Amino acid sequence: MNHLVIAPLLLPLLVGTLLLLSRRTLSLAARRRLNLAAILGQILLAVELLILVGDGTILTYHLGHWPAPWGIVLVADRLAVWMLLVTSLLAFFALLHAMQGTDRCSRHFHPLFQLQLFGLNGAFLTGDLFNLFVFFEILLLASYGLLVHGGGAARVRAGLHFVVINLVGSTLFLFAAGALYGLVGTLNLADLSLKIARLPPEDLGPARVAALLLLAVFALKAALAPLHLWLPSAYASTSAPVAALFAIMTKVGAYSLLRVETLMFGEHAGILTGFYAAWLLPLGLLTLALGALGALAANELRRQVAYLVVVSVGLLLAAFGLGTADGIAAGLYYLVHTTFATAAFFLLADLITRERGWAADRLAPGPALPNAALLGGLFFVTAMLVAGLPPLSGFVGKFLVLRAALDEPVWPWMLGVVLIGSLLGIVALARSGSLLFLHIRGAGSGEPTHPPPAEGLLSASRPTLGLLALCLALLIGSGPVLDLAEATAGQLLDPAGYLQAVLKPIGIQVAPGEVAP
Amino acid sequence: MEALMSLIVGVLTAGGVYLLLRARTFSVVLGLTLLTYGVNLFLFASGRLTIGAPPILAPELSRYTDPLPQALVLTAIVISFAMTAFVIMLALRARAELGNDHVDGRDNAGVASRKKEPEA
């Protein structure tokens, strides 16, 4: 039992509460610094945990010292810590961008931001199904607040849809959890994994129903087709830092699907082996295709980026759906890349929207951009990243997924859909790039207006540059990152260690050298 | 009792789904409420139905009710209450911002006048 495991939950919860209580007493600058310090703390915690779990140990934390199948348990294995690190790094840059002025629109931005991180960290660390539901609700409740943050008709309309759809999803989640509990009498993921494998044949039908309900819930969170239609308008109408932070929200669904797929329907699951993989692969490819078409048809840059998020979810879940170690490792690498790249794109779209004045982010000829060189350069790099062109990390991720697919019988489908989808993505981005930067119309056409000093824009684009630098670091560090991803995939496909760590009675848990709490 | 319970859950869920598919925010909120009632009863029944037994494990008791679903239902009720309150506030806000209570924010009569806006 390691107390460090619960720290990523306590830190955002306490800081979030503090920010909520101090919103009238502390100045905005002080609250910004507090929020930033808390996120830096979470990055350090995630790095520390990564070092601890790097050798394959699985840390557990039994709340209130109750042994596992009965009490609540937090589990930090490689996958959970991996997600924690990605979340905190993303949150850092999203907050930096928000500090340029978005956070002034309402008093509750900073507390909600921390509570959102609380929900995200909890969802990654929790070891049972019902607490996964609870943390989903926490992160969703915070995200509802963040989504409509700043107000406006478009946000309220998209927010209403988002909230109602997610509430229906939560209800389905409860139905699924209740059905599983009624069948096997446990909600602990490790215990469920053991008991589903030993399910009597007559319970197979209800178990399938519960599993499919669970699949529907996670697919809704991950925006898997045909449940992806809420995403584009929600992401396109919210403020940029929130959209950037939401880049991790679809990955929560993907994470849950991967966790359930490997833990409950893995090799050892008896008749239900591969139950999710059979759905994930075709649905992932369908999502990719629909997302690519949506990106091609979008009229606004932010909506286009939102559709590119859908594309990345499709590729990610298709990779997870392969179910092999290579596929999962490639998916994990791609997950990190796509989270940072799409978040950077949302922030960049915000900068472009601000600079374009009346034309905003509409993909139509507009006024000349004052700092077209800087913004255009950033757009070019980000578009190459997102579309997966060599030599950037998007290409590495996509290449790894395709290479993993080559060993499987589905490779013609996978190769065809992914490559055509990428082509459509490139066409869509080329079109928007030329419309935004080359087709100029309006008052300033003819002779370009005198460009104002670029210093302001340069400092405003620092968070975007930071996220792009993370993608570059991912490219340079591909070797070690991929080693870690492969180790994570290996750990996921062999859940014996996970079961051992969670279900071993609490007394034996304490290692000889470790000081008992 | 099992038949009655499943009938209630089924009717609540069916009514909830029907109302959710309506186009006005009021019926959507009502549908969500019915759906959460349905799921709460379902959760409650997932620990098997027993009458006259306490949800306490004690050596002197021969029979008891599974206490876990009760804890789950309690959490679920609190969360669904909070969420319903939030949806109602959001629906009121949408009514104020968009001018009507259609879930898409556009009235049938107002479609023609609203369609012009994006092109302006």
Side-chain angles (χ1 to χ4, degrees):
Chain A
M1 183 142 139
N2 193 320
H3 288 277
L4 207 59
V5 178
I6 202 173
L9 294 188
L10 291 181
L11 182 66
L13 178 62
L14 293 178
V15 173
T17 318
L18 192 66
L19 284 166
L20 187 67
L21 295 177
S22 68
R23 67 178 197 275
R24 286 177 205 280
T25 46
L26 282 182
S27 69
L28 184 63
R31 284 188 294 143
R32 282 176 173 173
R33 249 176 268 139
L34 184 60
N35 199 347
L36 210 56
I39 291 176
L40 279 175
Q42 284 171 53
I43 296 178
L44 291 181
L45 272 175
V47 171
E48 172 69 25
L49 279 171
L50 192 62
I51 293 168
L52 285 178
V53 301
D55 58 349
T57 41
I58 294 175
L59 302 172
T60 56
Y61 185 86
H62 301 264
L63 270 83
H65 224 262
W66 282 86
W70 300 285
I72 295 171
V73 63
L74 301 177
V75 189
D77 62 348
R78 285 198 187 109
L79 177 63
V81 176
W82 179 279
M83 300 300 294
L84 284 186
L85 187 63
V86 176
T87 310
S88 51
L89 284 173
L90 178 70
F92 179 74
F93 290 106
L95 183 67
L96 276 187
H97 191 93
M99 277 162 46
Q100 291 167 15
T102 330
D103 61 343
R104 273 201 207 99
C105 299
S106 93
R107 282 196 301 264
H108 301 293
F109 182 84
H110 290 285
L112 282 175
F113 199 87
Q114 283 296 328
L115 290 178
Q116 168 95 73
L117 290 177
F118 170 56
L120 286 166
N121 290 352
F124 295 138
L125 283 175
T126 183
D128 71 281
L129 211 53
F130 193 75
N131 279 292
L132 189 61
F133 163 76
V134 172
F135 282 116
F136 266 21
E137 291 306 303
I138 293 173
L139 76 89
L140 285 172
L141 194 51
S143 75
Y144 302 154
L146 287 174
L147 185 75
V148 295
H149 162 82
R155 268 176 213 176
V156 170
R157 182 182 0 217
L160 188 68
H161 295 175
F162 181 73
V163 172
V164 169
I165 286 169
N166 275 304
L167 284 183
V168 176
S170 308
T171 322
L172 287 183
F173 199 163
L174 280 179
F175 271 121
L180 277 176
Y181 185 77
L183 270 178
V184 295
T186 183
L187 284 172
N188 184 291
L189 284 175
D191 207 19
L192 267 176
S193 158
L194 285 180
K195 291 196 171 145
I196 280 198
R198 289 197 224 111
L199 213 59
E202 68 267 21
D203 283 349
L204 212 59
R208 280 217 178 97
V209 173
L212 280 180
L213 274 177
L214 213 54
L215 175 72
V217 177
F218 295 148
L220 180 73
K221 310 283 178 209
L224 193 65
L227 300 170
H228 68 288
L229 293 168
W230 58 270
L231 187 140
S233 63
Y235 281 34
S237 54
T238 186
S239 58
V242 176
L245 185 63
F246 279 12
I248 196 78
M249 294 263 287
T250 49
K251 275 66 180 186
V252 181
Y255 161 86
S256 313
L257 279 170
L258 180 62
R259 180 68 86 197
V260 171
E261 182 198 352
T262 54
L263 209 51
M264 280 159 61
F265 306 110
E267 294 275 306
H268 59 288
I271 317 174
L272 287 175
T273 296
F275 185 57
Y276 271 19
W279 287 91
L280 283 185
L281 193 60
L283 286 181
L285 292 180
L286 180 68
T287 314
L288 206 163
L290 289 178
L293 290 177
L296 206 58
N299 289 326
E300 292 140 14
L301 182 59
R302 284 185 298 171
R303 188 170 290 267
Q304 187 170 54
V305 182
Y307 273 111
L308 291 170
V309 172
V310 176
V311 171
S312 71
V313 164
L315 182 60
L316 187 59
L317 288 176
F320 287 164
L322 289 173
T324 58
D326 282 345
I328 292 174
L332 287 173
Y333 182 92
Y334 185 74
L335 184 149
V336 183
H337 149 76
T338 183
T339 308
F340 292 148
T342 45
F345 215 160
F346 274 120
L347 298 184
L348 181 65
D350 186 44
L351 295 178
I352 293 176
T353 309
R354 274 195 241 161
E355 294 284 309
R356 275 185 102 208
W358 57 267
D361 63 339
R362 271 198 294 279
L363 294 180
L369 284 171
N371 293 301
L374 176 61
L375 283 178
L378 281 177
F379 183 87
F380 183 65
V381 174
T382 320
M384 271 177 56
L385 261 176
V386 172
L389 289 181
L392 299 174
S393 59
F395 173 72
V396 179
K398 206 168 269 185
F399 175 74
L400 288 170
V401 174
L402 290 182
R403 198 183 59 179
L406 280 183
D407 303 334
E408 301 294 312
V410 294
W411 70 268
W413 281 101
M414 187 96 173
L415 231 61
V417 175
V418 171
L419 292 179
I420 293 173
S422 302
L423 179 67
L424 291 182
I426 294 167
V427 171
L429 285 167
R431 167 177 153 257
S432 43
S434 60
L435 278 172
L436 287 172
F437 295 101
L438 303 178
H439 290 237
I440 290 158
R441 192 194 74 182
S445 70
E447 36 114 22
T449 48
H450 184 65
E455 279 87 52
L457 186 66
L458 200 60
S459 67
S461 63
R462 251 178 233 151
T464 319
L465 287 171
L467 283 170
L468 293 179
L470 280 180
C471 287
L472 192 65
L474 191 66
L475 174 70
I476 294 168
S478 290
V481 173
L482 200 59
D483 286 346
L484 186 59
E486 273 162 6
T488 311
Q491 195 178 41
L492 284 172
L493 288 177
D494 180 26
Y498 186 95
L499 303 188
Q500 188 87 10
V502 174
L503 294 177
K504 226 197 238 175
I506 208 159
I508 311 171
Q509 197 89 34
V510 183
E514 195 184 339
V515 183
Chain B
M1 187 167 60
E2 279 80 2
L4 185 63
M5 193 76 174
S6 41
L7 195 67
I8 294 174
V9 172
V11 168
L12 281 174
T13 311
V17 170
Y18 173 76
L19 284 175
L20 264 177
L21 298 174
R22 310 284 300 168
R24 304 279 159 185
T25 49
F26 180 72
S27 24
V28 169
V29 171
L30 217 55
L32 271 175
T33 318
L34 286 190
L35 208 56
T36 49
Y37 285 164
V39 78
N40 287 341
L41 287 177
F42 178 77
L43 266 186
F44 199 71
S46 70
R48 305 294 181 270
L49 299 168
T50 6
I51 289 179
I56 299 166
L57 305 180
E60 66 270 19
L61 289 172
S62 56
R63 36 197 302 272
Y64 58 88
T65 309
D66 191 348
L68 193 89
Q70 309 205 358
L72 300 188
V73 168
L74 197 61
T75 318
I77 288 175
V78 172
I79 290 179
S80 61
F81 259 12
M83 293 299 178
T84 311
F86 187 82
V87 177
I88 291 173
M89 288 316 296
L90 200 61
L92 287 174
R93 176 81 178 271
R95 170 75 183 74
E97 293 253 1
L98 306 171
N100 62 71
D101 68 340
H102 195 280
V103 280
D104 283 334
R106 51 181 80 171
D107 223 341
N108 286 339
V111 169
S113 64
R114 278 194 172 270
K115 259 189 183 160
K116 281 181 195 154
E117 267 179 16
E119 284 154 33

